[in-house]
């Protein structure tokens, strides 16, 4: 809701208010925090500095007010009139004149869609402020997502003559500093979502991506929060961008106690030339406020993404349990091998079989075939249709992998259209994973991508596509600069995606970019879920999923149980430890099922049956990071559904003096009695090494044939932890759990978690006797 006040506006969501006032013709943030009563006086929320300190530059020429822009929480910062922050908008004119935007008019209206980039749905209304400077005008849009406490901000610049855009942030928010610290993520391939917490010092700290994608280096979602208030307390503000290209985020702490947070497209390589009548619209930034710290920010963003970002048809639709052949076979498969995996996948209860890379053209390695989207009939006689039919016969749906934006040099597509790739004609184009990027800003290339995907989808009963993108962009030569080219790329790319999802509404698309190299709200506007990382090691995934839970819900996170020994780290964890992590989101499997022992098959069957029973909670529940590895060797997650809660506990390295285990949860009713129970896990006999002889009637060589054979059929069971306690116990000190293994004895109340171990607890109101 937007309430117009004298000289300002209150933009309110269910629990927050953002107040903009006008001072010397400049929109200024008077307040952003807890919701205000609609009839609030806004003048009281802000005290202007009427006598600027020495050496300040006063804005008004007559000096009737000794006021400087430098300390005002401006909604737009520009160079030239005494505001010495890094500008949020920077324009260049041939005659070098200054850009000084001044308020002209305002409008509150039914929200309209962004002119060319995705707009999350469910906006109630918008406030548009029209500003004017010499040579251009600027619209500031504030769009309101009342129910999820999110406010969207973007700007539209209109040129009244030739100009060049050098900086164009989607949002600039200035607030009085309250010992805020910056919380962001950083990473690389297979190493996404690492959380960085940084105390802000005077100066500007900026991060982002210039690699053509939102990137695994720095996800555009970040927050500032009050220091020393923990994960669940204090004022916190969250930010994200509905965009998949180059971006920059920055927090600037000035000497006057103000912090300015900016987010938008990257200014590096932004030289966008506009002519009279041209306009340029920044992507939508989304902001939220909570007085419950990062947890509150995460809760707001989780609901926002679920309700407003992912395609409506999938927002609440149960997602299938997937089997994907990638880590099992890579490129080395035959139709017979795929069919045998299909049979095993259906036996364990998978609902959708995904044929990953390698099914088309001359694609026997990543060096050839990309771009040639016709099935390799030598590898798959009968084509995709026959595999889709086979999957159907086994009771599963069928899906495929594609990477439609890229091309290999060794492909018919490149041989036919060498001019379709992004390159500087003066230089040899650089490859990454042996591929080049198709130039989707050319209409014929965008059409080709649409037709290629549509053709494949029409060729067989395909109900899922993993849309991959495996390289950072390079070799962009554009008079408007890289950042501007990337913007045009995404305008065109999103159009292609819009056409595809409209024409194939039943198909579930999974976003992928070598894992999480393009995991953002732009992609999620078209694709309902995303492959989070190429790292399938379950322990590493705890860090990745925790970091990204700041901005994204369980329903978009696709996670697979992989082989016991991790491809990426050679770390060994049990299948059940892996499940405890992968279950938080969209569960899948990608290990060689032909190598499974009968016991392993039983374990996987049980996992899938259990997951299906509680799918709604794992996929659409509300996620809470109860404890993080930042504080020590233990971490804990919670997923809260309608009538049940799951708590997972994770251990990094086992300790000889472990702290007593306790089951602690949040968001329960103090007075309700809850039944809790650990999900029984399988503990391999081989875990005990030579100690197995302490219970075995005959001596066993721990590496001998007998024990390895036995290990394929028999296991030990995890501890038995179950009970009924009041919510107040779980909410405070926690219910006691079995003590850890300490090397001196074992019974059914000994917790055998060990290094990188995990446990999953189910909590639900106890049934009355
Ligand atoms: C990168 C993806 O993230 C992997 O899961 C797999 O699909 C490969 N590409 C296939 O080339």
């Amino acid at each position: 809701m937007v309430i117009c006040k004298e000289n300002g506006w209150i933009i309110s969501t269910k629990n927050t208010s953002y107040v903009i006032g006008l001072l010397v013709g400049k929109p200024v943030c008077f307040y952003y925090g807890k919701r205000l009563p609609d009839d609030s006086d806004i003048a009281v929320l802000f005290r202007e500095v009427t006598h600027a300190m020495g050496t300040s530059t006063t804005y008004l020429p007559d000096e009737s007010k000794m006021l400087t822009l430098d300390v005002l929480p401006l909604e737009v910062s520009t160079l030239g009139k005494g505001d010495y922050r890094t500008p949020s908008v920077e324009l260049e004119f041939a005659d070098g004149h200054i850009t000084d935007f001044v308020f002209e008019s305002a409008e509150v209206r039914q929200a309209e869609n962004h002119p060319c980039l995705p707009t999350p749905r469910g906006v109630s209304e918008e406030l548009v402020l029209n500003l004017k400077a010499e040579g251009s005008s600027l619209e500031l849009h504030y769009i309101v997502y009342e129910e999820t406490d999110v406010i969207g901000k973007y700007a539209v610049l209109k040129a009244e003559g030739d100009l060049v855009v050098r900086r164009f942030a989607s949002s600039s928010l200035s607030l009085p500093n309250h010992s805020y610290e910056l919380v962001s993520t950083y990473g690389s391939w297979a190493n996404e979502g690492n959380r960085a917490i940084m105390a802000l010092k005077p100066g500007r700290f900026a991060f982002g991506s210039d690699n053509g994608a939102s990137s695994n280096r720095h996800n555009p979602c970040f927050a500032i929060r009050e220091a020393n208030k923990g994960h669940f307390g204090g004022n916190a503000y969250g930010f994200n961008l509905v965009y998949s290209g180059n971006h920059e985020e920055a927090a600037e702490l000035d000497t006057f106690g103000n912090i300015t947070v900016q987010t938008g497209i990257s200014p590096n390589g932004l030289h966008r030339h506009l002519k009279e009548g041209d306009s340029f619209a920044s992507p939508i930034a989304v902001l939220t406020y909570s007085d419950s710290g990062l947890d509150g920010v995460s809760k707001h963003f989780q609901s926002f993404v679920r309700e407003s970002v992912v395609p409506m048809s999938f927002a609440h639709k149960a997602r299938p349990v997937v089997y994907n052949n990638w880590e099992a076979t890579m490129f080395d498969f035959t139709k017979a091998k795929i069919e045998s995996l299909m049979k095993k996948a259906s036996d364990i209860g998978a609902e959708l079989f995904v044929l990953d890379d390698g099914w088309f053209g001359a694609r026997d390695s990543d060096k050839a075939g990309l771009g040639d989207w016709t099935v390799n009939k030598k590898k798959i006689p009968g084509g995709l249709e026959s595999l889709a039919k086979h999957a159907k016969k086994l009771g599963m749906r069928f899906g495929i992998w594609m990477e439609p934006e890229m091309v290999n040099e060794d492909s018919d597509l490149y041989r036919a259209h060498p001019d379709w790739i992004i390159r500087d004609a003066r230089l040899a184009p650089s490859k990454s994973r042996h591929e080049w990027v198709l130039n989707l800003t050319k209409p014929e290339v965008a059409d080709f991508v649409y037709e290629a995907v549509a053709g494949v989808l029409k060729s067989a009963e395909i109900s899922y596509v993993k849309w991959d993108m495996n390289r950072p962009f390079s070799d962009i030569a554009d008079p408007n600069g890289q950042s501007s080219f990337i913007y045009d790329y995404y305008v065109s790319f999103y159009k292609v995606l819009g056409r595809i999802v409209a024409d194939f509404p039943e198909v579930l698309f999974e976003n992928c970019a070598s894992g999480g190299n393009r995991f953002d709200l732009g992609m999620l506007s078209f694709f309902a879920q995303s492959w989070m990382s190429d790292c399938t090691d379950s322990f590493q995934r705890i860090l990745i999923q925790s970091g990204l839970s700041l901005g994204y819900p369980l329903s978009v996170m696709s996670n697979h149980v992989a082989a016991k020994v991790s491809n990426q780290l050679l770390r060994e964890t049990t299948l059940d430890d892996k499940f405890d992590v992968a279950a938080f989101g969209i569960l899948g499997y990608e290990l060689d099922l032909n190598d499974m022992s009968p016991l392993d098959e039983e374990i996987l069957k049980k996992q899938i049956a259990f997951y299906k029973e509680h799918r709604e909670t794992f996929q659409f529940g509300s996620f809470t990071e109860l404890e993080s590895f930042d504080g020590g060797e233990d971490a804990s997650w919670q997923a809260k559904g309608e009538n049940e809660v799951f708590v997972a506990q994770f251990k990094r390295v086992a300790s000889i003096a472990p702290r007593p285990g306790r089951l602690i949860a949040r968001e329960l009713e103090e007075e309700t009695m809850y039944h809790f129970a650990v999900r029984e896990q399988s503990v391999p006999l081989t875990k005990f090494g030579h100690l197995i002889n302490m219970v075995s009637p005959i001596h066993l060589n721990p590496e001998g044939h007998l024990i390895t054979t036995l290990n394929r059929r028999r296991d030990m069971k995890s501890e038995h932890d179950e009970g009924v306690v009041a919510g107040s116990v779980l909410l405070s000190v926690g219910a006691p759990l079995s003590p850890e293994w300490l090397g001196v004895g074992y019974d059914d109340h000994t917790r055998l978690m060990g290094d990188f171990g995990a446990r999953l607890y189910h909590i639900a109101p106890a049934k009355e006797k």
Side-chain angles (χ1 to χ4, degrees):
M1 147 192 296
V2 180
I3 300 166
C4 300
K5 295 278 167 181
E6 197 192 330
N7 251 356
W9 302 267
I10 303 181
I11 304 165
S12 284
T13 65
K14 212 161 140 190
N15 300 296
T16 73
S17 292
Y18 189 142
V19 178
I20 296 168
L22 283 176
L23 270 184
V24 290
K26 304 276 178 189
V28 162
C29 177
F30 276 14
Y31 170 90
Y32 188 16
K34 279 185 116 154
R35 186 176 172 135
L36 301 173
D38 296 350
D39 58 0
S40 298
D41 169 17
I42 63 167
V44 73
L45 296 167
F46 184 74
R47 278 282 167 268
E48 68 186 274
V49 180
T50 42
H51 291 88
M53 69 190 302
T55 73
S56 298
T57 304
T58 49
Y59 180 63
L60 296 176
D62 67 0
E63 294 187 296
S64 56
K65 260 188 181 179
M66 297 291 283
L67 177 143
T68 177
L69 297 183
D70 215 16
V71 297
L72 284 187
L74 297 171
E75 288 287 294
V76 180
S77 260
T78 52
L79 289 174
K81 291 301 292 172
D83 172 11
Y84 298 111
R85 278 166 287 208
T86 302
S88 59
V89 177
E90 189 183 350
L91 310 179
E92 276 177 9
F93 296 87
D95 66 359
H97 75 255
I98 284 169
T99 307
D100 183 23
F101 286 113
V102 177
F103 175 80
E104 276 215 319
S105 64
E107 193 185 348
V108 177
R109 65 182 192 200
Q110 191 59 39
E112 288 172 11
N113 278 345
H114 186 283
C116 53
L117 294 169
T119 312
R121 54 177 192 282
V123 193
S124 38
E125 56 189 348
E126 71 174 327
L127 166 68
V128 186
L129 304 182
N130 300 302
L131 315 186
K132 179 81 192 75
E134 190 183 333
S136 70
S137 64
L138 188 69
E139 291 170 6
L140 299 181
H141 291 250
Y142 299 83
I143 55 183
V144 193
Y145 296 91
E146 285 208 31
E147 284 306 304
T148 51
D149 290 316
V150 166
I151 292 172
K153 286 175 72 179
Y154 70 98
V156 181
L157 180 78
K158 292 193 173 148
E160 292 171 359
D162 288 4
L163 62 84
V164 178
V165 186
R166 298 297 307 273
R167 278 182 178 272
F168 198 46
S170 299
S171 164
S172 189
L173 173 72
S174 284
L175 301 162
N177 185 29
H178 275 262
S179 10
Y180 285 122
E181 50 189 20
L182 181 72
V183 183
S184 61
T185 60
Y186 66 94
S188 56
W189 173 75
N191 178 30
E192 297 84 345
N194 298 283
R195 189 181 292 138
I197 302 177
M198 200 183 84
L200 289 168
K201 300 277 184 256
R204 185 173 193 259
F205 180 79
F207 57 97
S209 162
D210 287 307
N211 83 1
S214 49
S215 96
N216 45 31
R217 290 161 191 238
H218 297 285
N219 193 276
C221 182
F222 69 105
I224 56 166
R225 67 155 182 199
E226 276 181 279
N228 304 319
K229 295 277 171 85
H231 187 69
F232 298 95
N235 294 305
Y237 297 85
F239 306 83
N240 205 345
L241 212 51
V242 190
Y243 186 56
S244 310
N246 297 357
H247 57 95
E248 184 183 272
E249 289 70 38
E252 183 168 355
L253 181 61
D254 67 24
T255 350
F256 317 112
N258 298 310
I259 170 171
T260 299
V261 183
Q262 292 178 353
T263 179
I265 67 170
S266 171
N268 300 326
L270 182 65
H271 301 270
R272 197 172 179 99
H273 293 80
L274 302 186
K275 294 203 173 335
E276 184 174 359
D278 286 352
S279 59
F280 186 43
S282 66
I284 296 175
V286 289
L287 285 70
T288 192
Y289 160 82
S290 169
D291 63 349
S292 308
L294 290 189
D295 181 60
V297 165
S298 164
K299 294 281 162 49
H300 291 175
F301 277 155
Q302 287 182 51
S303 333
F304 172 67
V305 175
R306 265 194 315 258
E307 302 306 326
S308 294
V309 178
V310 299
M312 192 145 56
S313 48
F314 285 99
H316 298 279
K317 193 167 176 176
R319 313 288 171 73
V321 176
V322 159
Y323 176 82
N324 176 306
N325 70 304
W326 178 245
E327 285 197 0
T329 66
M330 303 234 163
F331 295 101
D332 182 20
F333 60 81
T334 57
K335 189 178 181 194
K337 197 162 176 181
I338 294 298
E339 287 183 345
S340 79
L341 285 171
M342 279 185 171
K343 170 79 179 72
K344 295 266 180 187
S346 110
D347 286 350
I348 60 168
E351 297 162 313
L352 185 127
F353 187 95
V354 180
L355 180 60
D356 210 281
D357 198 352
W359 57 265
F360 50 89
R363 187 79 171 164
D364 290 325
S365 78
D366 55 10
K367 295 206 172 82
L370 213 51
D372 301 337
W373 297 110
T374 40
V375 68
N376 179 340
K377 290 235 168 118
K378 264 197 220 137
K379 248 182 177 173
I380 311 174
L384 295 179
E385 208 185 344
S386 74
L387 282 181
K389 281 190 181 144
H390 195 77
K392 198 170 183 178
K393 231 191 284 161
L394 292 166
M396 290 183 298
R397 289 187 280 151
F398 181 64
I400 44 139
W401 176 95
M402 291 187 84
E403 190 179 358
E405 297 155 81
M406 304 293 163
V407 65
N408 282 127
E409 183 169 12
D410 184 2
S411 67
D412 293 342
L413 181 68
Y414 179 70
R415 283 183 281 273
H417 299 286
D419 55 327
W420 276 14
I421 64 167
I422 295 177
R423 65 171 299 184
D424 180 336
R426 287 153 292 216
L427 298 170
S430 296
K431 286 184 186 148
S432 171
R433 209 190 185 213
H434 318 290
E435 44 189 76
W436 288 318
V437 188
L438 291 171
N439 187 348
L440 264 79
T441 65
K442 295 186 177 189
E444 65 276 24
V445 183
D447 282 345
F448 164 81
V449 168
Y450 169 82
E451 294 300 342
V453 177
V456 169
L457 290 179
K458 284 180 198 154
S459 73
E461 216 176 310
I462 293 168
S463 45
Y464 161 107
V465 173
K466 177 177 175 187
W467 185 301
D468 208 345
M469 192 288 278
N470 280 306
R471 65 154 295 175
F473 290 40
S474 67
D475 295 273
I476 296 164
D478 190 302
N480 289 312
Q482 290 195 33
S483 190
S484 170
F485 175 87
I486 292 293
Y487 177 96
D488 293 337
Y489 180 94
Y490 281 103
V491 169
S492 173
F493 177 58
Y494 290 144
K495 266 194 209 140
V496 172
L497 297 190
R499 279 175 76 189
I500 292 174
V501 297
D503 291 352
F504 301 92
E506 302 294 323
V507 175
L508 171 63
F509 287 87
E510 179 159 317
N511 173 48
C512 175
S514 296
N517 192 38
R518 196 169 60 183
F519 175 59
D520 55 66
L521 300 181
M523 294 308 295
L524 291 173
S525 302
F526 301 93
F527 298 165
Q529 60 192 54
S530 196
W531 178 231
M532 300 301 290
S533 176
D534 270 359
C535 186
T536 51
D537 173 75
S538 53
F539 178 76
Q540 198 62 30
R541 287 295 276 248
I542 300 170
L543 305 176
I544 295 170
Q545 291 166 225
S546 292
L548 294 168
S549 71
L550 173 64
Y552 305 92
L554 295 170
S555 66
V556 304
M557 299 191 183
S558 160
N559 317 308
H560 294 175
V561 171
K564 291 175 197 167
V565 175
S566 148
N567 273 28
Q568 295 78 25
L569 293 166
L570 300 181
R571 179 183 286 138
E572 185 166 356
T573 43
T574 70
L575 292 173
D576 275 337
D577 290 338
K578 288 172 191 296
F579 171 78
D580 295 345
V581 181
F584 280 73
I586 315 299
L587 177 69
Y589 289 80
E590 79 170 85
L591 64 182
D592 194 341
L593 297 175
N594 289 317
D595 291 346
M596 297 287 99
S597 68
L599 175 65
D600 291 341
E601 282 179 25
E602 272 320 299
I603 293 170
L604 300 189
K605 263 188 207 166
K606 274 194 200 156
Q607 291 178 354
I608 295 180
F610 183 83
Y611 180 83
K612 287 178 179 169
E613 208 182 309
H614 303 283
R615 184 187 332 235
E616 182 68 22
T617 304
F618 286 126
Q619 297 191 344
F620 299 101
S622 161
F623 177 85
T624 306
E625 188 181 20
L626 296 173
E627 188 179 4
S628 89
F629 283 121
D630 298 343
E633 295 303 302
D634 301 286
S636 179
W637 287 351
Q638 172 174 302
K640 184 175 189 300
E642 279 280 294
N643 301 310
E644 61 180 1
V645 165
F646 279 100
V647 169
Q649 295 190 351
F650 307 116
K651 183 162 291 304
R652 193 177 354 222
V653 180
S655 158
I656 195 65
R659 66 178 189 180
R662 295 264 158 187
L663 180 61
I664 294 181
R666 289 180 72 91
E667 298 168 22
L668 303 177
E669 299 297 328
E670 291 215 341
E671 280 161 24
T672 303
M673 297 303 291
Y674 290 94
H675 172 259
F676 70 89
V678 67
R679 191 184 86 86
E680 185 183 83
Q681 296 200 184
S682 163
V683 182
L685 299 180
T686 47
K687 185 173 179 87
F688 294 87
H690 68 283
L691 294 178
I692 198 77
N693 287 311
M694 292 179 81
V695 288
S696 169
I698 53 157
H699 182 83
L700 294 167
N701 174 347
E703 282 162 39
H705 180 65
L706 193 56
I707 189 77
T708 34
T709 308
L710 212 57
N711 199 50
R712 291 176 59 78
R713 297 191 178 272
R714 300 284 295 276
D715 57 4
M716 314 255 286
K717 297 297 179 211
S718 60
E719 72 284 359
H720 184 78
D721 265 327
E722 187 173 9
V724 173
V725 286
S728 51
V729 175
L730 296 166
L731 286 166
S732 56
V733 296
L737 297 173
S738 296
E740 297 287 332
W741 161 267
L742 278 179
V744 284
Y746 162 82
D747 61 20
D748 67 352
H749 284 294
T750 309
R751 205 152 85 133
L752 299 164
M753 266 172 91
D755 296 351
F756 310 113
R759 285 293 182 271
L760 189 59
Y761 300 89
H762 180 253
I763 303 172
K767 298 211 170 71
E768 307 236 331
K769 289 224 171 102

